Amino acid sequence: AQSVTQPDIHITVSEGASLELRCNYSYGATPYLFWYVQSPGQGLQLLLKYFSGDTLVQGIKGFEAEFKRSQSSFNLRKPSVHWSDAAEYFCAVGADSNYQLIWGAGTKLIIKP
Amino acid sequence: NAGVTQTPKFRILKIGQSMTLQCTQDMNHNYMYWYRQDPGMGLKLIYYSVGAGITDKGEVPNGYNVSRSTTEDFPLRLELAAPSQTSVYFCASSRTSGTRYSYNEQFFGPGTRLTVL
């Protein structure tokens, strides 16, 4: 069965520092992979997605993610975080057979001034 | 475009009461979804719809019902509210074309925070 694991419940990063949020998935075929962000009190917004091709994907707000098939990972990165990046980040994987997404539990990003 | 709108934003129910959470999208999307979000649990799919008149169960459908009479609207019904249904509910929509690479972005509403006491 498909699953998504985000090992870090919370991550605290200083403003201006680099960020990496981890995501591991379990899926037999080539996965469809997504990162969404949820700001406090808001709905979710797509940051980026991977379907095929170049394994380094660029997204909005300066985020990027790298698909590594050998590690079953799709980690999200940003070279320098801003206070406005404080939010919860969700990784999701999609199935071939339908258009449902399987979601990770989320990682809450806290920014230290 | 307003995108995906949900009403109400907040609601407190007593055990056994019923209510309908409203969801409307104006993007002409064929797929619509209802999720619940519990702390530390991510999103769980309750029901989804592939078009008007067609709905199907997701991972956690018990205690809920849906209907899809139009492309735009996808209401979620709670018949006998229970404390276990205290959660934040999100409606989402997407356009899919049935081909391998037709996974598209799901657009989310702002959510409804429901408390059952």
Side-chain angles (χ1 to χ4, degrees):
Chain A
Q2 298 158 265
S3 65
V4 177
T5 302
Q6 293 180 248
D8 304 304
I9 298 173
H10 297 100
I11 280 191
T12 301
V13 176
S14 297
E15 190 170 15
S18 64
L19 170 70
E20 182 169 31
L21 301 182
R22 295 183 290 164
C23 173
N24 293 97
Y25 66 90
S26 171
Y27 186 61
T30 300
Y32 305 115
L33 295 161
F34 304 81
W35 274 101
Y36 280 79
V37 60
Q38 184 181 28
S39 298
Q42 304 294 315
L44 283 74
Q45 180 186 19
L46 180 69
L47 280 176
L48 47 77
K49 61 187 177 185
Y50 171 79
F51 285 178
S52 66
D54 193 346
T55 57
L56 186 62
V57 179
Q58 301 298 319
I60 63 171
K61 306 185 182 190
F63 285 91
E64 66 178 26
E66 187 171 12
F67 170 56
K68 292 186 177 179
R69 184 187 300 276
S70 61
Q71 299 177 19
S72 297
S73 69
F74 188 55
N75 294 348
L76 183 71
R77 301 193 295 246
K78 186 169 185 178
S80 176
V81 298
H82 186 262
W83 65 266
S84 60
D85 293 324
E88 192 153 20
Y89 293 80
F90 291 92
C91 182
V93 63
D96 252 339
S97 59
N98 56 48
Y99 298 96
Q100 298 180 31
L101 296 180
I102 306 299
W103 297 83
T107 298
K108 188 170 184 179
L109 175 62
I110 300 164
I111 307 295
K112 286 193 304 185
Chain B
N1 285 351
V4 180
T5 57
Q6 291 183 239
T7 56
K9 284 187 167 41
F10 304 93
R11 184 72 186 268
I12 298 175
L13 285 182
K14 294 182 179 178
I15 295 172
Q17 286 185 319
S18 62
M19 76 164 294
T20 298
L21 281 66
Q22 301 293 343
C23 175
T24 300
Q25 54 93 6
D26 62 359
M27 297 173 283
N28 201 31
H29 286 171
N30 50 342
Y31 272 66
M32 295 188 75
Y33 314 81
W34 273 106
Y35 293 96
R36 58 176 290 170
Q37 182 182 34
D38 301 308
M41 301 294 289
L43 295 171
K44 301 292 185 185
L45 183 66
I46 304 172
Y47 272 94
Y48 69 101
S49 168
V50 306
I54 307 170
T55 62
D56 207 348
K57 296 177 181 178
E59 188 181 355
V60 289
N62 291 345
Y64 308 94
N65 277 300
V66 293
S67 60
R68 182 106 181 261
S69 56
T70 66
T71 299
E72 295 78 20
D73 299 306
F74 190 42
L76 178 72
R77 179 87 179 156
L78 284 71
E79 290 294 350
L80 291 169
S84 60
Q85 294 178 304
T86 293
S87 188
V88 180
Y89 292 84
F90 288 102
C91 179
S93 71
S94 67
R95 179 190 298 281
T96 54
S97 62
T99 62
R100 173 173 167 77
Y101 295 108
S102 64
Y103 259 106
N104 283 319
E105 175 180 0
Q106 290 188 16
F107 290 80
F108 282 79
T112 295
R113 185 175 295 274
L114 176 67
T115 303
V116 182
L117 300 174

